[in-house]
Amino acid sequence: MNTLYTYLHFIPFFLSVILSAYIPAIYQPYSWVFYFFIFAHGLMYSLYALYWVLRSQRFYENVSKGKIVKNWLTIFIASTIVIYINAVLIYFNIVPFYPSSSFVFSVVLLILIICGFYSFDVFSSDMEKYKNSSLNKDAALDYSNELKRLMNDDKPFLNPELTLTSLSKTLGITSKQLSQIINQVEGKNYSQYIAELRVYQAVELLKTNKYKHYTMAAIAYECGFSSISSFNIAFKKITGKTPVQYKQTVKVY
């Protein structure tokens, strides 16, 4: 479903390519309707993209280099919006094409170059970090599958004393290799990975009638959290709701 939803964003582009022969010249009657639609669509799409980037805090908190990616996308989309606004102003003869267009493009390009220089890590691969690792991609995937089976069957994350080192010993690899596996395969660090598993476990308990009368502190400790505060923070970050808010809306079975 998510993949299909992603492809839907390309529909306007493919339509413009397929129907390019029918695009009216700018001097033809009512051609302004077509071009106004193009500008309006691009501007509204960019504004919504900026809104989504700024609002989707939880997504970036669970993505490697999340803060850098968010800042870069914000600047890139904002630059696109400036270009669209300039194009609209030029089309309706509010500002002249020259030097307005060249000035705006030059400033935007300069800003992107500067920001790209200071955010260079966003373009680098995580593989660079582990280029000297003895763990290749296939081996990392095998250990990742073994890690998932371990988490599903034994649920070691329920132990509040679980550490990266102790978990790596269970898998028979080094802590650095385990960190590499979680980072490359899961796209998050060890702490985020364990917190997510514990929150999902809490979600299941909150749905179960057996735990209906448990306090939130009891639920937190059952799921491996060492404190109620860390439980509340992690739960809100991952689900978008506090444990109490979630409990009020969930259907118990």
Side-chain angles (χ1 to χ4, degrees):
M1 182 62 183
N2 289 335
T3 303
L4 177 61
Y5 181 75
T6 301
Y7 288 141
L8 291 177
H9 292 268
F10 292 94
I11 289 178
F13 169 76
F14 288 118
L15 285 177
S16 63
V17 172
I18 295 171
L19 303 175
S20 59
Y22 300 98
I23 296 177
I26 196 169
Y27 54 80
Q28 290 181 342
Y30 303 107
S31 62
W32 68 270
V33 176
F34 172 81
Y35 291 100
F36 179 78
F37 172 78
I38 294 295
F39 291 140
H41 170 266
L43 184 57
M44 288 189 295
Y45 195 93
S46 299
L47 288 171
Y48 178 77
L50 182 62
Y51 169 80
W52 185 89
V53 167
L54 295 176
R55 283 292 303 273
S56 302
Q57 185 67 27
R58 288 186 291 116
F59 171 77
Y60 296 101
E61 288 172 343
N62 292 309
V63 173
S64 178
K65 305 174 186 175
K67 186 176 181 180
I68 299 176
V69 172
K70 181 178 182 179
N71 291 339
W72 172 253
L73 285 176
T74 300
I75 295 170
F76 184 82
I77 296 172
S79 300
T80 304
I81 292 172
V82 170
I83 292 175
Y84 265 115
I85 292 175
N86 181 67
V88 172
L89 295 176
I90 291 174
Y91 182 81
F92 288 103
N93 295 319
I94 298 176
V95 298
F97 177 79
Y98 183 83
S100 172
S101 182
S102 57
F103 175 77
V104 169
F105 272 94
S106 298
V107 171
V108 167
L109 184 60
L110 181 62
I111 291 174
L112 291 177
I113 290 174
I114 294 174
C115 293
F117 177 79
Y118 285 103
S119 304
F120 188 75
D121 282 349
V122 76
F123 302 107
S124 64
S125 170
D126 285 332
M127 289 301 293
E128 290 295 316
K129 182 179 178 181
Y130 303 105
K131 62 182 179 181
N132 296 322
S133 173
S134 59
L135 197 65
N136 59 43
K137 186 176 181 181
D138 291 335
L141 190 58
D142 289 339
Y143 278 118
S144 174
N145 291 331
E146 186 176 343
L147 175 63
K148 289 177 181 177
R149 285 194 294 270
L150 177 66
M151 292 301 178
N152 289 331
D153 297 341
D154 299 340
K155 300 186 185 300
F157 57 86
L158 297 181
N159 179 7
E161 302 298 325
L162 181 70
T163 64
L164 178 67
T165 301
S166 61
L167 183 58
S168 64
K169 288 181 178 179
T170 302
L171 291 170
I173 56 178
T174 66
S175 57
K176 184 177 181 180
Q177 288 175 326
L178 178 56
S179 178
Q180 174 185 348
I181 293 166
I182 295 174
N183 186 270
Q184 290 182 342
V185 180
E186 301 296 334
K188 52 181 72 74
N189 61 39
Y190 170 78
S191 297
Q192 292 169 336
Y193 176 68
I194 297 300
E196 190 173 279
L197 290 171
R198 288 171 175 167
V199 167
Y200 289 149
Q201 179 69 16
V203 166
E204 290 303 312
L205 296 189
L206 290 172
K207 293 178 181 178
T208 307
N209 189 58
K210 176 183 176 181
Y211 297 91
K212 183 178 180 180
H213 300 293
Y214 273 53
T215 64
M216 285 303 166
I219 293 288
Y221 298 137
E222 282 282 330
C223 297
F225 287 96
S226 57
S227 70
I228 185 64
S229 60
S230 60
F231 171 60
N232 288 332
I233 292 171
F235 199 99
K236 178 70 180 293
K237 184 182 294 184
I238 293 172
T239 67
K241 298 179 180 179
T242 65
V244 174
Q245 290 172 335
Y246 186 87
K247 186 176 182 179
Q248 292 172 344
T249 59
V250 73
K251 184 179 180 180
V252 179
Y253 56 87

